[in-house]
Structures are given as structure tokens and as C-alpha cells.
Amino acid sequence: MTKKTLLTALLCVAALAVPHARAGFPGANGPIVFVRTDGDGERARLYVRRNGTTAFLTKGTYPKWSSDGRWLLFARHLRQTNLPLFRMRADGTQMKQITDGSFGAHYGFDWSSDGQRIVYSNGSQIFIMNADGSNAKQLTTGRGCKQEPAWSPDGSTIAYTSFPPRQGGIFLLPTCTGGITDTSNLDISVIDQKGTSVVALTDSPDIQETTPDWSPDGSRILMTCRSTARLKRGRICVLGSQGTGRVIFERRGRITSPVWSPDGRRILFTFKPETEEDNDAEVFVMRRDGTRVRQLTDNASEDFAADWGPR
């Protein structure tokens, strides 16, 4: 994607902003929650790391902090093909199942910045519901898969990953209360009831852009960006407000789920070497420019899908 095209896209996003929308996660860095499993999905457990100490929290997978750090959203394996969503207080109390279990949790979900709504992908489409699981509405339809939605800090826009019929790319879906009609084929076009089109942020057939995550100030989007010509090397990229996209970290192995810290200065991610000597996924942290990489977890279990909560 050219610099000019990306700059135009991000300017379009700014034009969609809600004037009085509240900011999302900016603040001091707090606890880190992550998944630990022995490889059997039914045994996935959530652990929380506070002040260098790691403790078991509950059974579950793919956790997401609310913007105030008071709530956790996660999925839990009840049966082999049953992955309902749950929410609970950060201390493990007031747990409640909020979906019926037909949901594919690994396709992604996220909180709105005010904590009142949840965006999620069910199968190949994106939905929005209230935080208690009520009033679910489908936002997308049509061909291809829309997954891994991420809500912008100002609440105006949802970034998501698009899979075949495209190779993959990141798009922006304006927030609305009504349905959105997707008439896409090879070129995705999504229009809401007000006539607002989705903006394509990436369109690179040789790059697999996935798992978008907004910076706390909403000016940048973090993502994985593996090259199809070098599938054995993981990469993390950042799209900036000046129309630039750049690789900030690359390593041989598999990199997944990069997320910003609440203060926007650091990045969490999962790295799996995928070698005969070392095949365990672990959680790492680095500076936002890709330097000072440090491993946070180190054990025989798989540690992944970390999320950084505010203090």
C-alpha cells in the first residue's frame, strides 16, 4: 500500500470520529493477563501477572481487559466445539456467561472504550452486543471472513482482519447502531445505513496482516505482518498517522497477538520458535520501537494471548 493511500485512509478515519467519544486505555501500566495451556484447548487457564508475581485466575482463553481494568472478557471451553464468552470482575468475582457457546472465540472480540458494548466475530461475520450479552446485532454480511475486531479508543471505528477471498488485510468499520451491508467480492466494500464506506488500511497480496490493536491515543495500529515469501519469519508492524507503515520487529518463528501497553510505550506479544529444540510459546515484552526485547514467561507450558490492563 502506498504512503499516499494510507494517509488518505487514516484521514478518512479521523473524519468518522464521534466528537464527544471517550478515550480508551491511556494510563499507567497495570497487570498482565495471559493464557497458559499444556496444548489441550480444554485445559486453557488464565493467569495474571502483577508486580513480577504470576497467579492462577480462572479457566479460560483469549482474555481482554476493559478500559478501566475492572472487568475481564474471555472465552471458556465447555465442550470440544463450545466456546461461550464470559465476563467477570478482575478479582474473579461476578462471573457471567454472556453468549450461548456457538461463538468461535479464536476469531476475536473486544470492549468498547466505555465498557458498555462488546464487538466480536462469530463465524465469518462481526457483531456488536451489550456488555451483558443482550441486544446482539450483526454488522457485516457477504463473502469472506471478517475476524479479530478491535475497537478504537474514541469508540468511532472498528478495525478488523479480512480473510479470503482476499489474502488478508486490515479494514476499518465505522461504528453504527444499524446493520451494515457487505457487497464485497475481491475488493471489500462495506456501507452502513448512513452511506459510510469501510476504509482499507492494507492491501498487500504478499503480506498477511492480522490481529490489529489500536494504540492508546488512537493514532497507530499494531499488527502482525508476515510475508508470504518468508512464512517461517514472524514480523510486527505499526501503521502510523503520517501514512507510514513499518516493520518494528522480526524473528524466525511464529509471532502472534501483539498489543500495546496502556501507556503506549511498550508492546506485548507471543513468540514461538517452532524448532525441534524449542517449540513452546512464551510471552515477551519490548519497547514500542522494537528494541529491549525481554521474555516474561519461561516454562514447559504454552503461554500466549497476553493483554495488558491499566493500573
Side-chain angles (χ1 to χ4, degrees):
M1 189 177 199
T2 66
K3 180 176 179 178
K4 181 178 179 181
T5 304
L6 179 56
L7 178 58
T8 302
L10 288 170
L11 288 175
C12 289
V13 175
L16 294 171
V18 178
H20 301 290
R22 201 184 74 172
F25 282 70
N29 297 337
I32 294 171
V33 64
F34 63 93
V35 183
R36 175 167 292 172
T37 176
D38 58 4
D40 185 340
E42 294 185 358
R43 297 178 182 174
R45 296 173 173 86
L46 300 185
Y47 283 77
V48 62
R49 179 184 175 93
R50 290 186 175 94
N51 302 318
T53 301
T54 300
F56 171 73
L57 190 59
T58 188
K59 295 179 180 179
T61 189
Y62 304 105
K64 284 287 184 181
W65 290 105
S66 62
S67 61
D68 60 9
R70 297 179 180 179
W71 293 89
L72 272 171
L73 182 66
F74 61 96
R76 175 179 285 183
H77 292 262
L78 297 184
R79 293 188 296 273
Q80 189 65 29
T81 59
N82 195 318
L83 279 168
L85 274 180
F86 287 76
R87 69 167 188 171
M88 71 176 184
R89 289 283 187 181
D91 62 3
T93 63
Q94 298 186 38
M95 186 182 301
K96 178 184 178 182
Q97 181 177 336
I98 58 174
T99 66
D100 62 7
S102 60
F103 171 68
H106 60 288
Y107 297 147
F109 45 85
D110 199 13
W111 294 89
S112 62
S113 60
D114 62 6
Q116 298 301 306
R117 291 186 292 172
I118 293 168
V119 61
Y120 63 102
S121 177
N122 191 345
S124 63
Q125 305 299 335
I126 292 174
F127 295 74
I128 285 179
M129 64 181 174
N130 294 335
D132 63 0
S134 64
N135 198 29
K137 295 182 179 180
Q138 184 172 337
L139 293 184
T140 63
T141 61
R143 297 177 58 190
C145 293
K146 298 88 178 172
Q147 301 173 357
E148 302 166 343
W151 218 317
S152 64
D154 69 2
S156 67
T157 310
I158 295 166
Y160 66 94
T161 304
S162 174
F163 287 92
R166 304 176 58 91
Q167 179 66 27
I170 292 175
F171 293 80
L172 293 175
L173 179 65
T175 301
C176 68
T177 55
I180 293 179
T181 302
D182 185 343
T183 58
S184 65
N185 40 49
L186 293 180
D187 294 318
I188 291 180
S189 176
V190 182
I191 303 176
D192 66 9
Q193 293 177 340
K194 298 179 181 179
T196 304
S197 297
V198 159
V199 178
L201 284 189
T202 63
D203 189 10
S204 306
D206 57 342
I207 303 294
Q208 296 176 344
E209 299 102 343
T210 63
T211 60
D213 189 62
W214 294 89
S215 62
D217 63 3
S219 67
R220 290 162 293 171
I221 292 180
L222 188 67
M223 63 183 182
T224 60
C225 52
R226 187 169 59 170
S227 168
T228 56
R230 307 180 73 183
L231 292 177
K232 292 186 178 181
R233 296 192 68 84
R235 299 196 305 183
I236 297 175
C237 291
V238 173
L239 298 179
S241 59
Q242 299 302 313
T244 56
R246 64 188 182 95
V247 178
I248 62 168
F249 183 74
E250 181 174 351
R251 181 175 289 185
R252 182 178 177 84
R254 183 173 180 82
I255 296 175
T256 57
S257 308
V259 295
W260 297 93
S261 63
D263 66 5
R265 296 179 179 179
R266 291 176 172 80
I267 293 170
L268 280 178
F269 64 97
T270 301
F271 175 69
K272 186 173 184 177
E274 296 187 337
T275 64
E276 292 183 2
E277 296 80 14
D278 187 359
N279 198 36
D280 292 328
E282 303 290 353
V283 177
F284 288 73
V285 62
M286 64 182 177
R287 287 183 174 179
R288 62 187 174 191
D289 62 359
T291 62
R292 298 285 184 92
V293 180
R294 181 166 58 94
Q295 187 170 339
L296 290 185
T297 64
D298 186 10
N299 53 74
S301 301
E302 296 272 314
D303 294 338
F304 60 96
D307 196 36
W308 210 326
R311 185 179 299 172

